[in-house]
Amino acid sequence: MDRWQYAAALAACVVITLPLEVVLGARVYRRPARLALTLAPVVVVFAAWDLLAARRGHWWWSTDQVTGVRLLGLPLEEWIFFLVVPICAVLTYEVIGSRQVIRRGR
């Protein structure tokens, strides 16, 4: 189970924030082009940062807590992290922003 901890934490993030899209209508998944434009700079910047830090020995991933699948030098879970965490943040932002607009009567 240890090898799946990172993946399980990411899955939990998706499951916990999914109601923001489905129930509260964040409309993040319904606008894939906009979501991709939002995610692209995040993935590029943080992947470059992680790769550089890992190559310098400043950053690493416990082989006991990742599946061992690597893509371009980073664990697969790390790539998924770069997608999941920003999506969860955007979902939250969209719901909070839309609620503020409703409260203001717009």
Side-chain angles (χ1 to χ4, degrees):
M1 180 60 185
D2 285 346
R3 294 180 65 102
W4 294 97
Q5 284 183 357
Y6 196 176
L10 294 172
C13 290
V14 171
V15 169
I16 290 168
T17 59
L18 190 57
L20 298 175
E21 178 76 14
V22 177
V23 177
L24 298 177
R27 300 187 53 84
V28 170
Y29 294 121
R30 295 176 209 165
R31 298 179 284 190
R34 182 179 277 187
L35 180 58
L37 287 171
T38 301
L39 295 176
V42 173
V43 172
V44 169
V45 169
F46 285 104
W49 179 354
D50 266 11
L51 283 166
L52 181 63
R55 288 195 179 147
R56 290 184 172 184
H58 300 289
W59 189 249
W60 66 92
W61 297 268
S62 170
T63 56
D64 295 337
Q65 296 183 354
V66 293
T67 59
V69 177
R70 288 186 170 261
L71 180 64
L72 302 174
L74 295 177
L76 180 60
E77 294 89 348
E78 193 71 358
W79 289 104
I80 296 169
F81 174 90
F82 297 144
L83 299 174
V84 167
V85 172
I87 289 172
C88 293
V90 171
L91 281 165
T92 304
Y93 179 81
E94 288 294 324
V95 168
I96 290 171
S98 68
R99 297 300 174 248
Q100 287 179 353
V101 169
I102 290 170
R103 272 190 247 138
R104 290 183 194 153
R106 294 184 188 170

